[in-house]
Amino acid sequence: MHRLPDRLKLSRSYDPVQLGDDLQTLEQLPWVEHFVTQNYQGKWDVLPLRGPAGATHPVMMIYSDPGCTSFANTPFLGQAPYLQQVLAGFQCPLQSVRLMRLGAGSEIKEHRDHDLSAELGQVRMHIPITTNPEVKFLLNGTHVPMTPGSSWYLRLADPHSVKNNGTTDRVHLVIDALVNDWLGSELREAAAG
């Protein structure tokens, strides 16, 4: 695949109200504090919806094992009918899927996820569920303005950081997937505008 822009707004969009309804149900569950503590300040936690097959502890469900080739839905996803519908629309191999919540006043420090690039065959897509105007997601030093219900491919092998300077939490549905013909076509369509 030829080199794509570092950010692409995909043609797919989702109902923010239904996303929020599922989030309200799932917020009652025990989320896991992100374990890479050197990458953030404040509150950053995760609820795994899909993870390594056979993982039973939530920490192992959110662990991104680069050698893992078998993934399965977690019991948490069963409580979110609209999120199940959203994921069913992705006609590509899904790997880890999780809700990631960045608390008000919290920051994810600049870092790179070296294997997450369409050109390398593995991508991370974001679907914002809740956000606020004071969230600044910087990719290669430039803000990516994401609104609830939109969907995005971001080349996170590049430097990126997030600051939530608002008074409400930011929650994204974060989908890791392998690039197949279908997803490659979706990305090329987005790049063509």
Side-chain angles (χ1 to χ4, degrees):
M1 175 173 284
H2 69 283
R3 190 160 175 85
L4 295 169
D6 66 355
R7 72 207 62 202
L8 291 170
K9 185 176 183 183
L10 305 176
S11 62
R12 301 171 163 271
S13 61
Y14 304 96
D15 181 357
V17 173
Q18 291 187 75
L19 290 169
D21 288 347
D22 276 4
L23 175 60
Q24 191 171 22
T25 298
L26 297 173
E27 281 184 320
Q28 312 308 314
L29 300 173
W31 291 47
V32 179
E33 184 178 333
H34 200 291
F35 53 83
V36 187
T37 55
Q38 69 269 22
N39 279 3
Y40 68 96
Q41 290 180 327
K43 180 182 178 186
W44 188 25
D45 55 5
V46 182
L47 185 72
L49 303 178
R50 185 172 174 80
T56 56
H57 192 282
V59 170
M60 294 311 296
M61 291 176 187
I62 67 170
Y63 175 62
S64 296
D65 178 358
C68 184
T69 58
S70 181
F71 294 84
N73 294 342
T74 72
F76 307 127
L77 183 59
Q79 300 180 48
Y82 188 63
L83 294 180
Q84 291 175 53
Q85 184 181 333
V86 168
L87 296 177
F90 285 86
Q91 300 166 35
C92 55
L94 298 182
Q95 297 183 311
S96 293
V97 177
R98 52 217 176 273
L99 292 176
M100 302 188 84
R101 178 171 54 194
L102 185 64
S106 299
E107 171 186 5
I108 301 170
K109 300 173 185 176
E110 186 174 85
H111 66 287
R112 296 173 181 244
D113 298 293
H114 293 282
D115 53 345
L116 294 175
S117 165
E119 295 79 15
L120 297 175
Q122 183 176 348
V123 300
R124 179 164 293 161
M125 294 169 285
H126 279 243
I127 299 173
I129 299 176
T130 63
T131 190
N132 66 70
E134 299 304 314
V135 170
K136 300 299 177 211
F137 191 118
L138 298 180
L139 177 58
N140 289 314
T142 305
H143 178 55
V144 184
M146 295 182 270
T147 57
S150 62
S151 61
W152 293 80
Y153 156 70
L154 305 169
R155 188 174 57 236
L156 298 181
D158 292 353
H160 58 283
S161 63
V162 189
K163 287 185 181 179
N164 182 357
N165 295 318
T167 58
T168 60
D169 293 344
R170 182 213 76 158
V171 180
H172 282 195
L173 176 64
V174 178
I175 303 167
D176 290 355
L178 297 179
V179 178
N180 63 1
D181 290 344
W182 176 85
L183 184 52
S185 176
E186 291 281 308
L187 294 172
R188 287 189 295 274
E189 178 185 319

